[in-house]
Amino acid sequence: MVTVAVLALQGAFLEHEKVLSRLGADFFEIRNSEDLKRPFDALIIPGGESTVMGKLLRELDILEDLRRRVADGLPVFGTCAGMIVLAKDVEGGVPSLATMDITVRRNAYGRQLGSFYATESFADRGEIPMTFIRAPYIEKVGGGVKILSRVDGNIVAARQGHMLATSFHPEITSDTTVHEYFLEMVASRN
Ligand code: GLN
């Protein structure tokens, strides 16, 4: 059984937990440095506000611990703000974990009219529904980063080894493809 730690400092973490429950994965929430003492096999960083999440990660003294674990190979999945937290370069923001070799642009679709819905293909899994909420997109990927989805030519999902990031919010649709893909990534590392 895989245990997923869900970063629960702010943002849309409950929605991820519901999907994990549906897929039969075990999970718990990370809210402070004490929670990091529990064993876990993977990490989900939810959507929300990347600036606030980055600030809390530093203030609660969990940023360095998580950065080391992810750098050491802990499977991680970041959605929207979570993708920004993972990125090495952030246009319009500040890097946090900075483990994934991608350049992201915050609020890439504009702040007010930035929410929309699309259907596009994801990895080798066919078309899936994608909900974007004041989303970033990936402007540039480094070597070893595989592009998994594009919408209107912009990169909205990518994977670098054990790290997965999406601009959109798969946790708020009923389609579980992306979470299943992530759990397969986790299983294949164990
Ligand atoms: N606009 C937010 C940010 O820059 C991300 C929005 C989201 O996670 N839905 O952090």
Side-chain angles (χ1 to χ4, degrees), residues 47-50 80-81 84 106-107 133-134 169:
E49 204 53 52
S50 55
C80 203
I84 299 170
R106 275 189 76 207
N107 299 316
I133 305 169
R134 294 187 300 108
H169 287 265

Side-chain angles (χ1 to χ4, degrees), residues 125-144:
R125 309 292 160 107
E127 296 204 338
I128 61 163
M130 300 177 178
T131 304
F132 295 81
I133 305 169
R134 294 187 300 108
Y137 60 63
I138 301 176
E139 288 205 323
K140 215 163 68 189
V141 299

Side-chain angles (χ1 to χ4, degrees), residues 16 43-47 76-83 86 164-168:
H16 281 285
L43 173 69
I44 287 182
I45 307 176
V76 62
F77 173 24
T79 55
C80 203
M83 174 167 103
L86 281 176
L164 174 67
T166 64
S167 300
F168 54 93

Side-chain angles (χ1 to χ4, degrees), residues 80-116:
C80 203
M83 174 167 103
I84 299 170
V85 169
L86 281 176
K88 277 195 179 156
D89 290 300
V90 181
E91 295 189 0
V94 199
S96 294
L97 278 187
T99 47
M100 193 166 172
D101 205 359
I102 53 175
T103 300
V104 300
R105 175 177 291 276
R106 275 189 76 207
N107 299 316
Y109 299 94
R111 282 187 83 79
Q112 299 307 324
L113 300 169
S115 302
F116 62 96

Side-chain angles (χ1 to χ4, degrees), residues 55-73:
K55 189 168 174 276
L56 289 170
L57 280 166
R58 278 185 192 85
E59 284 177 7
L60 294 165
D61 211 18
I62 45 187
L63 183 67
E64 286 310 318
D65 187 309
L66 286 184
R67 181 184 286 145
R68 185 175 40 76
R69 289 177 198 243
V70 173
D72 284 350

